[in-house]
Amino acid sequence: MKNIIFDLGGVLVGFDGKRSIEAYQAMGCEQVADYIIEHRTEDLFYRIELGLSTTADYCDEVRSMTGTTASDDEIVRAWNLLLTPVSAERARGLRLLQQRGYRLFLLSNTNDMHWQHCLNELFPSDMQHVFERVFLSYEMKLAKPDVRIFEEVLSQAGIKAEDTLFIDDNRDNIATAGTLGIQTFLNTDIDAWLTSPLSPLSHLFKPTGCVATIGFFDGVHRGHQFVISHMAEEARRRGLEAVVVTLDTHPREVVARCANPSQQKKTQLLTTRDEARRLILEAGADRCEVLHFDQAMAQLSARDFMRTVLRDQLGVKVLMTGYDNRFGHRSRESNEGFDDYVDYGRQLGIEVISLPPLKETAGSASSSAIRGALSEGDVAQATRLLGRPYSIVGRVVHGFEEGHRLGFPTANIDPASVKTLIPAAGVYAVEVSVEGMSTTWQGMMNIGTRPTYGGSKLSLEAHLLDFDGDLYDKSITVTFLKRIREERTFASPDDLRHQLEADRAEVTGKR
């Protein structure tokens, strides 16, 4: 079995009919409440699942059917109250399956209202990315148990029935999938696929405990890699999983908002959370747990964090931490440190051990030092500290065309689409990869304000050598290899063109 197809309702998200019924009844919509009680799939509700009615159609028909004067927002809210969030346990189960190499797909009879509600409110921030493909009835104009929807999923996903497991809470859907040779599991309880001994996945979720370390791991630089490798070595020695516990938001941002709710300053990150998670796994971790860090978590004491999160939620048996590492809420009078964590761990059944001293080359690395190097344009130093060249990802938009007129057509990246730190102004030798393409192009990148043309706004322009094609609206990755020079103002466009020719010669080594 290589592929797993999950249903949505009753498998990942739960149902709370009482909340939804009460909301509809409060608007005088008893007929709609009756539908939820009987769980009928006909008329209005069947049409929205098949994508034959829009949200506006749905709201109009509810008003027509019941006489309610409720607004679209009120009706949609009542409908969305039917669903409950994906639990942390189910989200972790999905991540574990993905990390172990299973291809995950989602197949759901649903409507646009419920799907958007899932994305906005009910899914953990990274959950949508766990699924390789998502198949939704309202988009496909087909609904389970119609055999054609299963045939479409197998065809579009390029998977074989005999290599695939389908998990659903509806017997008719299970029966239809089985006629195609798909392995099936009837999920009679929402967590059965995780906890039932009858689940074909149960052997994957037996709690074994883990060795963990905690940090934000921005950049996953050489120091982080050193920590992760030693944690993984300790986990292998003990026969446990190696788990990195990290956060979805930089702690400084949340702590600043706690102190000053109007504080909106963002930390300039070196990696997105998705990229950091990938690099953490590549560094040797078996699993990366991304916690939602909010004001409630920020107020947890170190002992409460170790008890409720590390022990109860994540099953941590061994916590590896540096002697000067700190976590948990601290008052001004508090001076908790490593010895306190050891004592708390002794009480909670978690062994707390110190990481070995970092080697000099790794120890010199820190996220702040890398940010400082990039802010000065020193990409060579950033490369040394990261253990790899620094990259940014952005979306190509239309620019001013000056480069094209000079014979140096550029891919203009929207600065707002770049979610990580942008290096200092200047010209850089780079490598560029484009989404959907396997080739990497040599190039040069200008970061600045286009002073020769009187510009004032930040501009990111990448010239790809030997590239001919349309990059508009594509996502590209720019990897910085070397800083060629600072940004300068030239007396004329012709002077700029001569300098660009010299820059290109330095990039290609044909000076």
Side-chain angles (χ1 to χ4, degrees), residues 4-12 107-109 144-145 150 165-175 177 183-189 192-193:
I4 307 174
I5 302 173
F6 285 89
D7 180 35
L8 179 62
V11 176
L12 300 180
L107 171 60
S108 176
N109 285 2
K144 298 174 289 184
F150 293 99
L165 171 67
F166 173 56
I167 302 173
D168 199 296
D169 64 335
N170 183 286
R171 292 182 184 278
D172 291 339
N173 299 340
I174 288 289
Q183 302 174 63
T184 60
F185 177 67
L186 179 63
N187 204 63
T188 52
D189 172 81
W193 62 274

Side-chain angles (χ1 to χ4, degrees), residues 27 30 34 59 64 70 103 143 157 159 161 186 188 300 329-330 339 359 393 438 494:
M27 296 187 294
E30 279 75 12
D34 288 344
C59 294
S64 174
R103 299 174 65 190
I159 57 180
L186 179 63
T188 52
L300 286 177
H329 176 74
R330 295 188 299 277
D339 291 340
K359 298 174 183 177
V393 179
S438 57
D494 197 47

Side-chain angles (χ1 to χ4, degrees), residues 340-387:
D340 298 290
Y341 303 153
V342 171
D343 186 46
Y344 300 152
R346 203 175 286 121
Q347 300 167 31
L348 297 169
I350 299 175
E351 182 182 355
V352 180
I353 60 178
S354 62
L355 286 157
L358 299 181
K359 298 174 183 177
E360 184 179 347
T361 53
S364 62
S366 72
S367 300
S368 57
I370 296 165
R371 291 189 195 103
L374 292 171
S375 297
E376 296 175 359
D378 191 350
V379 295
Q381 174 66 353
T383 296
R384 284 190 289 271
L385 297 179
L386 283 167

Side-chain angles (χ1 to χ4, degrees), residues 63-287:
R63 282 187 286 264
S64 174
M65 180 172 62
T66 65
T68 183
T69 58
S71 67
D72 285 7
D73 286 345
E74 290 172 312
I75 293 170
V76 170
R77 177 183 173 278
W79 188 221
N80 285 340
L81 283 172
L82 179 64
L83 304 181
T84 62
V86 177
S87 70
E89 291 75 16
R90 293 192 290 277
R92 278 198 296 273
L94 292 172
R95 295 187 197 109
L96 178 62
L97 291 170
Q98 183 194 43
Q99 290 163 11
R100 294 194 175 183
Y102 291 95
R103 299 174 65 190
L104 307 185
F105 303 90
L106 184 67
L107 171 60
S108 176
N109 285 2
T110 193
N111 56 78
D112 182 54
M113 288 173 282
H114 278 173
W115 179 243
Q116 291 305 315
H117 184 51
C118 285
L119 295 180
N120 296 334
E121 301 291 340
L122 306 184
F123 285 0
S125 58
D126 67 331
M127 185 174 140
Q128 188 184 358
H129 304 298
V130 169
F131 295 104
E132 188 170 321
R133 289 282 300 273
V134 171
F135 299 95
L136 307 172
S137 62
Y138 79 90
E139 293 181 336
M140 300 177 74
K141 304 297 189 289
L142 288 170
K144 298 174 289 184
D146 190 327
V147 70
R148 292 176 296 171
I149 198 168
F150 293 99
E151 291 170 340
E152 278 292 307
V153 170
L154 294 175
S155 174
Q156 291 186 34
I159 57 180
K160 296 179 180 179
E162 60 269 25
D163 295 334
T164 302
L165 171 67
F166 173 56
I167 302 173
D168 199 296
D169 64 335
N170 183 286
R171 292 182 184 278
D172 291 339
N173 299 340
I174 288 289
T176 301
T179 65
L180 296 176
I182 298 172
Q183 302 174 63
T184 60
F185 177 67
L186 179 63
N187 204 63
T188 52
D189 172 81
I190 192 167
D191 289 320
W193 62 274
L194 278 168
T195 60
S196 171
L198 301 177
S199 168
L201 305 177
S202 62
H203 66 287
L204 299 171
F205 303 122
K206 291 178 180 177
T208 58
C210 63
V211 178
T213 190
I214 308 170
F216 190 67
F217 292 93
D218 184 30
V220 195
H221 52 64
R222 293 179 67 176
H224 294 144
Q225 294 161 28
F226 181 83
V227 168
I228 294 168
S229 67
H230 276 79
M231 179 200 63
E233 184 179 322
E234 183 69 20
R236 284 193 295 272
R237 190 178 69 79
R238 295 171 180 254
L240 300 173
E241 268 194 310
V243 177
V244 167
V245 181
T246 186
L247 311 170
D248 63 354
T249 305
H250 200 289
R252 277 202 299 266
E253 292 182 22
V254 176
V255 171
R257 285 198 296 270
C258 287
N260 180 4
S262 64
Q263 174 66 258
Q264 296 295 322
K265 186 176 180 181
K266 290 279 187 183
T267 302
Q268 288 190 301
L269 299 180
L270 303 171
T271 45
T272 65
R273 290 292 80 193
D274 283 344
E275 185 183 6
R277 180 178 172 279
R278 176 181 61 80
L279 291 168
I280 284 168
L281 295 175
E282 289 179 0
D286 297 313
R287 185 155 50 98

